[in-house]
Every structure is written in C-alpha cells, then in structure tokens.
C-alpha cells in the first residue's frame, strides 16, 4: 500500500493596503496588493496607483490577471484587507 500523498499547495494570502513605502522621499498614491507565502514573505507585489480606497473587485481583477484566484472573502486586517488565494496552475 502506497501511503504517499500529493504535496499540498502552499498557503498564500493576498493583502491590499494603502501604499506605505517611500519612493523618492514620498509615499505614492494608491494601494498595493502583496501576495504572501506561508512564512509571510512577499511573493508578488502589484501597485494600484489609482485606487483611493479598498475595492475588492479591482484587487481581485489584478490578482486574476497575474494568475491568482481568491479562495474566500476579503477580511479587514490592520490598515488594509486580506484573503487567501491560490495559484491558478495549482488548482
């Protein structure tokens, strides 16, 4: 009997928060979507400079275009929002 199980896909989370990193001495406008791995290391980053406040549809469209699929609803988290995501090629 073979007890080997397929390796589970890593848990990934997307966060969407107002930009906070300085660029040329100032904080740019808009929001940023980060995809974090299970160690909370940034795996991908997407800038949304025109986004003045959180918009789940815009964040999800950005993630989908990059090959990620939200796996649940967005939840408020600190100064932004967070949801679990999966890579399309790992579904």
């Amino acid at each position: 009997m073979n007890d080997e199980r397929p390796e589970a896909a890593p848990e990934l989370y997307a966060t969407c928060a107002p930009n906070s990193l300085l660029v040329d001495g100032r904080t740019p406008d808009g929001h940023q979507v980060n995809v974090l791995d299970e160690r909370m290391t940034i795996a991908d980053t997407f800038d949304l400079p025109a986004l003045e406040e959180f918009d789940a549809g815009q964040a999800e469209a950005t993630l989908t275009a990059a090959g990620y699929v939200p796996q649940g609803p967005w939840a408020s988290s600190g100064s932004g929002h967070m949801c679990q995501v999966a890579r399309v090629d790992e579904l």
Side-chain angles (χ1 to χ4, degrees), residues 8-65:
E11 286 191 24
L12 300 172
Y13 295 89
T15 64
C16 184
N19 277 325
S20 60
L21 299 175
L22 291 176
V23 175
D24 295 329
R26 70 175 203 81
T27 303
D29 294 333
H31 281 61
Q32 187 174 63
V33 174
N34 291 312
V35 176
L36 309 172
D37 65 18
E38 58 237 339
R39 287 181 256 148
M40 295 296 147
T41 302
I42 296 174
D44 252 329
T45 299
F46 310 98
D47 287 320
L48 302 172
L51 197 61
E52 293 184 24
E53 52 187 60
F54 177 69
D55 179 334
Q58 182 65 46
E60 289 176 13
T62 299
L63 288 165
T64 301

